[in-house]
Every structure is written in structure tokens, then in C-alpha cells.
Amino acid sequence: MKQILQSSLWAHRDVRLVLPARALSYAGDAIAMVALMLRVKEYGGTGAITVLLLAFAVPTVVMIPVAGRIVDSYDSRAVLVWATALQAVAGVALAFSHDLVSTVGLVCLLQVGQAIAGPCWGALIPRIVGEGLVGRAIGVSQALIGVAMLVGSAVGGVLVEWIGGRDALLVDAATFGVLTVVAGLVRTRRRPALGAVKESGGFSAGLRTLLGDPLLRVLVVCLWVFVVVGEAVNVVEVFLVIDEVGLNAAGYGWVLAAQGAGAILGAWGSGRLTTSAHRARAVLAGVAGIGLGMVGMGAASGVVLLVLGAVITGAGGGLLNAASSTLIVTRVAEAVRGRVVAALSGTVRACSLVALPLGGLLGGVFGPRATFLGCGVLCVVGAMGAALLVARTKDSAEEVVSH
């Protein structure tokens, strides 16, 4: 019994602190997103909404050169406490802002904290649980985050209605306060080794590590292309659901909930994977699943196929995110994990910025249904092509074990 307990993910004290606290913070983020979308909608319609979405994405890209270097060069406790405290302060200020300029500026400040905290948590979790439980930890963490975001999205509108947008944003700020306390309580720490020669470069070191691994090189490039193609449909999704299929706003919310439920299942299932080969296949299966789900949604004339496609799309996304995250942190040296996670996050965000105008262009020229169908087919074909490249990759390197 003692051996079973020791091998359990939840036997680790820091896991019991970090995973629930991060999930709570994501629930707060979902609440805040609802409140901010409703606030900004009144400031300037679709143009203001676009500016808000850019404010969430751009800081992650801008911070690529420095975020990873900060994570790998300083004590993780100090980095996490300061980054989450910055988010808490920005969240409080955001609650009391009254115009578009200050709202966008404070969202950017909030995301600067996230650009640092995200890679730091990503690099710390393997140190907390040990290399053998990394896959399970990431899968469980992303499943919990998926549940939290579903709950947060569901109650966000209700909270705004009941207590107002300002207090709903203060709820989000409070969750960052909780995360700051947890960051200070976590016993496991990442520190640069005494006397170690620091590798120059932040983004360049992270990207060089990613592309230096034969397997990751294929999968990361595939991921970049997929994000550009796959996320382009986000721009036209609401038009597909409401204008093409004929659902109302509540129906659109249920479609998003179906995607979220699928993502939870996909993330949870990824925790059973134990080798690089299995995780690589899961990444490609996730891309193909998203493509198939998009084709199903694009072909849907009624609710059943639309929701089924949404669940498949979500499951593929959950599997892709969890498997790729685990694959990357288990195949790179511990000393550069912060820079690697930051480089991946930033480049993926940059691809998302490309996907935004591309989706608008495709939707305007071909319509939402054809955009879904075309992008879905490209994702499936791309996954098949990447699978052939992976099969031909000479991958003699196993997971990197760091202590």
C-alpha cells in the first residue's frame, strides 16, 4: 500500500497545492474573459473585441526573448511569486479601469505575468513529480484546467449579471492572489546550478533545443502549420453555428461546452502514454482528430453532427496539447526547459496572430462552412504527411532524465 501511495501523483504535497490552484486561476480567467468581452463590446464593437484579443496574444510573443531566460536563471519561487503577484495587481486595476485604452494596457500587463509564470510552472512540474509521472501530471493538470474553464465560462455571465463586471474581475484577481500564496508555499524549487555556465540567448536557445531534436523538429513545425490552419476557423465558428446551422446564442454556448468536454477527455487520456513514440503518435492523432471534427462541423446541417464534431475537435485538441507538452519537457534538458517552453508558447501565439486575419479572409471569400471543411481536410492531410516524416525520423534519443 505504501508503495502504491508513493507512486501516486497525489502523494506529492506540492501537486496537491499547485494543480488545484492553477485550475482555480484558470476558472477566474474564464470569468474575466466573459466580463471583459461584455465590457469591451460596449466600447467599440468588433474592432474593440479584436484589439482585446490581440492584447491577450501579443505580450506572449513580445516576451519570447526574455521570459525563458528569466525562468532558467532565477529561483522558481521568486519568479512565480513576483509574476503571479503582478497578475493579481493588474487584475485589481483592471476591475477599476473605465476605458478601452486602460483596459487593453492592463490586459497586456496581465499577460506579461502569464508569459513568465506559464513556462515557470511548466518547467517546475516535472521537478515536483519526477520524470516517471510527468505525462500523468500534465494530463491531469490540463483536464482540471478544462473543467475549471468550463465552470468559469458558465458562471461568468451569471456573476456579471448578479454582481457586475467589476466584482467579477475582482474574483479573477483573487484567484491570482491564491496562486501567489501557493507559489510561496511550494517546497520544490528550480535554481540555476552553482558554477554552471549559462548558455547565451533566451528565445534562440529554446528554439535551437527544440529544432535540434529530430523528432521534435518534425512535430513542432507541424504544430506551427496546424495552428495557422486550425485556429483560422475560430473567427468564423460563431457564424457557422448561428447563421449556417441556425442555433441561437445559447446553442453556441453549448457547442463551446461540448468542445471543452472533449478537451477534458483528450487531456485525461494522454496521461496514460508513457513513451516518446506513443506521445508523438498522440500529437498527430490529435491534429487529425481536430481536422475530422472540423469536417463534421462544416458538413453539419443539424445539432447532432455539429455537437459530435465539436466533441471530436475538443478531444483532439486536449490530446494534442497534453501529449505535446509532455513530449517536449521529457526530451529536453532540465536546465533549458523554461526557455524551451517559452519559445514554444511564443511561437505558437505568433502563429495564432497569423490565423486571425487568415480566418477572416477565408470566411469572407468562401464562407464559414467551406472554411471549416477546407481547413479540416488540410489538418487531416497534414497529420498524415507528418506521420510519414516521423516514421522516417531516426530517433535514437529517449526521454531526457534530469535530477
Side-chain angles (χ1 to χ4, degrees):
M1 179 62 71
K2 183 178 180 181
Q3 184 177 4
I4 294 174
L5 180 61
Q6 288 175 341
S7 65
S8 169
L9 179 66
W10 298 104
H12 299 270
R13 168 192 176 272
D14 287 347
V15 168
R16 298 194 297 270
L17 288 173
V18 172
L19 266 58
R22 292 196 73 203
L24 177 66
S25 178
Y26 274 90
D29 291 347
I31 293 171
M33 179 60 78
V34 174
L36 288 171
M37 293 287 276
L38 292 173
R39 172 196 284 184
V40 171
K41 177 177 177 291
E42 302 300 321
Y43 290 156
T46 57
I49 293 291
T50 301
V51 171
L52 176 66
L53 295 177
L54 289 173
F56 275 102
V58 170
T60 306
V61 179
V62 174
M63 288 292 291
I64 291 177
V66 295
R69 185 182 297 178
I70 290 172
V71 171
D72 286 334
S73 300
Y74 298 96
D75 188 307
S76 61
R77 179 180 291 173
V79 172
L80 288 170
V81 167
W82 281 104
T84 54
L86 174 65
Q87 291 178 288
V89 171
V92 172
L94 193 58
F96 291 93
S97 64
H98 298 288
D99 58 82
L100 181 61
V101 174
S102 62
T103 296
V104 169
L106 289 166
V107 167
C108 287
L109 185 62
L110 193 73
Q111 291 303 99
V112 167
Q114 177 58 31
I116 298 171
C120 196
W121 288 120
L124 182 63
I125 287 176
R127 178 70 70 88
I128 292 174
V129 302
E131 303 294 329
L133 290 174
V134 172
R136 194 181 307 173
I138 292 177
V140 170
S141 177
Q142 295 203 7
L144 288 175
I145 288 171
V147 172
M149 293 189 71
L150 270 180
V151 174
S153 298
V155 304
V158 176
L159 282 178
V160 172
E161 190 70 25
W162 284 358
I163 63 177
R166 173 181 295 178
D167 290 340
L169 290 168
L170 287 175
V171 170
D172 183 39
T175 66
F176 283 122
V178 171
L179 198 57
T180 301
V181 173
V182 168
L185 292 175
V186 170
R187 293 173 183 169
T188 308
R189 298 164 80 167
R190 289 181 77 244
R191 301 183 181 94
L194 293 176
V197 178
K198 294 183 179 180
E199 184 179 357
S200 62
F203 170 66
S204 60
L207 190 62
R208 188 163 56 247
T209 302
L210 277 175
L211 300 182
D213 183 293
L215 180 60
L216 294 183
R217 182 165 56 245
V218 174
L219 294 177
V220 168
V221 173
C222 173
L223 181 61
W224 290 337
V225 175
F226 158 72
V227 169
V228 173
V229 176
E231 291 195 7
V233 301
N234 292 343
V235 180
V236 299
E237 184 174 31
V238 64
F239 300 101
L240 174 74
V241 174
I242 294 177
D243 296 342
E244 298 288 336
V245 181
L247 300 185
N248 55 19
Y252 175 59
W254 281 108
V255 170
L256 295 182
Q259 288 178 342
I264 294 168
L265 295 175
W268 190 273
S270 72
R272 298 178 177 273
L273 306 174
T274 57
T275 67
S276 286
H278 291 155
R279 289 168 185 143
R281 295 188 192 105
V283 170
L284 298 176
V287 174
I290 291 171
L292 289 173
M294 287 162 55
V295 170
M297 293 178 70
S301 58
V303 176
V304 174
L305 184 56
L306 182 70
V307 171
L308 179 61
V311 171
I312 295 173
T313 300
L319 182 63
L320 167 65
N321 291 334
S324 60
S325 297
T326 306
L327 185 65
I328 286 165
V329 299
T330 54
R331 290 182 67 87
V332 302
E334 204 278 340
V336 296
R337 278 177 179 163
R339 279 167 284 181
V340 168
V341 174
L344 181 66
S345 299
T347 53
V348 166
R349 276 290 194 173
C351 292
S352 297
L353 293 178
V354 176
L356 188 65
L358 176 63
L361 176 64
L362 293 175
V365 174
F366 301 107
R369 192 179 293 278
T371 300
F372 260 81
L373 290 170
C375 290
V377 170
L378 286 176
C379 286
V380 174
V381 173
M384 294 171 62
L388 293 175
L389 292 176
V390 167
R392 296 171 58 184
T393 299
K394 293 182 179 180
D395 178 35
S396 58
E398 294 297 327
E399 289 86 350
V400 175
V401 179
S402 304
H403 301 282

